[in-house]
Amino acid sequence: MAARTSFVGKPLACAGRVGPRATQVACRSVTRAQVAEVAVLNETGEKTGTKQLDLKFAGESSKGLVHRYVVHVLRNQRQGTSSTLTRGEVRGGGRKPYQQKGTGNARRGSRRSPLIPGGGAIFGPKPKDWSSKMNKKERRLALSSALVNAADAIQVVPDLDGKFGDMKTKSVVSALQSFGCGEDEKVLLITKDQENEGLYLGGRNIPKLTFNVMNNIHIYDLLNADRILMEESVVPYVQETFGA
């Protein structure tokens, strides 16, 4: 399998400009169509042909755009609910703990001091909103560019509806092996919906298998996968949504 370029941690490739504004300018100026050829497999895992996806591609600015989308998704996943009590919020401490002089100890005016166990926290975390904004067109272009880059790892497989009625992990593992997925490979399976209960219940115990629905493809799962399996009914939606 051909090696894929990692978009995570890459700087924005734009002539002398950085930041979201530069990415927006680049998106408007260098967006073009890119043909991605993906392999088509039958139920036994044999390659029966290829399909071409005519997708939007951000050109040289795709690395910075995809990286910013990954940061946007990961920031929005953070809850930001960590909280500590400051000196003024700790309960008690109204009484002086011991007399000012004669004990040999440091002078104390309250038990709520951060220097005493059980006291307040100094510069501790407080609830914070980590979310960031990104335009819908930019998000869609970033995901489309990531699909173009991952074309070598994408394989189109027949729809898996009704094929896992036993709801057993063994059946799902056998199907993945027939499609050429190794035990150490991280696999992303993109389905048309979540109604295939047998597939989801049978595959949830597989550590390196991730499920995505076609209308909610996760950019991080897409970049993190070694092999991407896409149901045949998902291809028209991808072409219509991300097509040039």
Side-chain angles (χ1 to χ4, degrees), residues 7 19 27 43 49 52-53 55 74 85 98 103 111 121 125 130 135 154 160 163 186 188 195-196 208 218 236:
F7 286 130
C27 290
E43 295 182 356
Q52 291 185 344
L53 299 176
L55 305 177
L74 297 181
L85 298 180
Y98 48 81
T103 64
R111 294 187 181 275
W130 292 96
N135 295 338
I154 297 177
L160 303 175
K163 296 183 180 180
K186 291 176 285 188
L188 172 63
E195 296 181 358
N196 194 343
K208 295 187 178 182
H218 199 290

Side-chain angles (χ1 to χ4, degrees), residues 133-155:
K133 294 183 179 180
M134 189 174 183
N135 295 338
K136 182 177 180 180
K137 289 184 178 180
E138 288 182 304
R139 298 197 305 267
R140 186 167 292 182
L141 180 58
L143 189 55
S144 177
S145 299
L147 286 170
V148 171
N149 180 72
D152 293 338
I154 297 177
Q155 295 176 334

Side-chain angles (χ1 to χ4, degrees), residues 14 22-32 58 61:
C14 186
T23 309
Q24 295 173 9
V25 173
C27 290
R28 291 195 297 265
S29 59
V30 300
T31 301
R32 63 174 186 268
S61 63

Side-chain angles (χ1 to χ4, degrees), residues 226-244:
D226 297 322
R227 190 182 297 269
I228 302 167
L229 302 182
M230 184 182 298
E231 285 188 329
E232 191 172 2
S233 57
V234 177
V235 176
Y237 174 85
V238 172
Q239 179 63 58
E240 180 181 356
T241 306
F242 306 105

Side-chain angles (χ1 to χ4, degrees), residues 71-91:
V71 173
H72 163 76
V73 171
L74 297 181
R75 282 177 64 95
N76 290 354
Q77 287 181 342
R78 298 187 67 173
Q79 294 182 348
T81 55
S82 300
S83 182
T84 54
L85 298 180
T86 64
R87 176 173 181 157
E89 296 170 335
V90 175
R91 183 179 180 183

Side-chain angles (χ1 to χ4, degrees), residues 141-194:
L141 180 58
L143 189 55
S144 177
S145 299
L147 286 170
V148 171
N149 180 72
D152 293 338
I154 297 177
Q155 295 176 334
V156 179
V157 299
D159 291 350
L160 303 175
D161 294 342
K163 296 183 180 180
F164 302 99
D166 55 1
M167 302 183 185
K168 291 185 177 180
T169 302
K170 182 178 180 180
S171 301
V172 180
V173 171
S174 177
L176 294 178
Q177 291 177 348
S178 66
F179 294 140
C181 300
E183 295 182 359
D184 297 331
E185 286 185 321
K186 291 176 285 188
V187 181
L188 172 63
L189 179 56
I190 304 177
T191 60
K192 60 180 180 180
D193 52 43
Q194 294 181 337

Side-chain angles (χ1 to χ4, degrees), residues 5-12 23 27 57-73 134 138-149 219-220 222-223:
T5 304
S6 175
F7 286 130
V8 181
K10 299 294 184 178
L12 176 65
T23 309
C27 290
F57 187 63
E60 294 181 356
S61 63
S62 60
K63 293 182 179 180
L65 184 63
V66 173
H67 173 254
R68 197 156 69 84
Y69 186 27
V70 173
V71 173
H72 163 76
V73 171
M134 189 174 183
E138 288 182 304
R139 298 197 305 267
R140 186 167 292 182
L141 180 58
L143 189 55
S144 177
S145 299
L147 286 170
V148 171
N149 180 72
I219 183 68
Y220 186 84
L222 184 66
L223 297 178

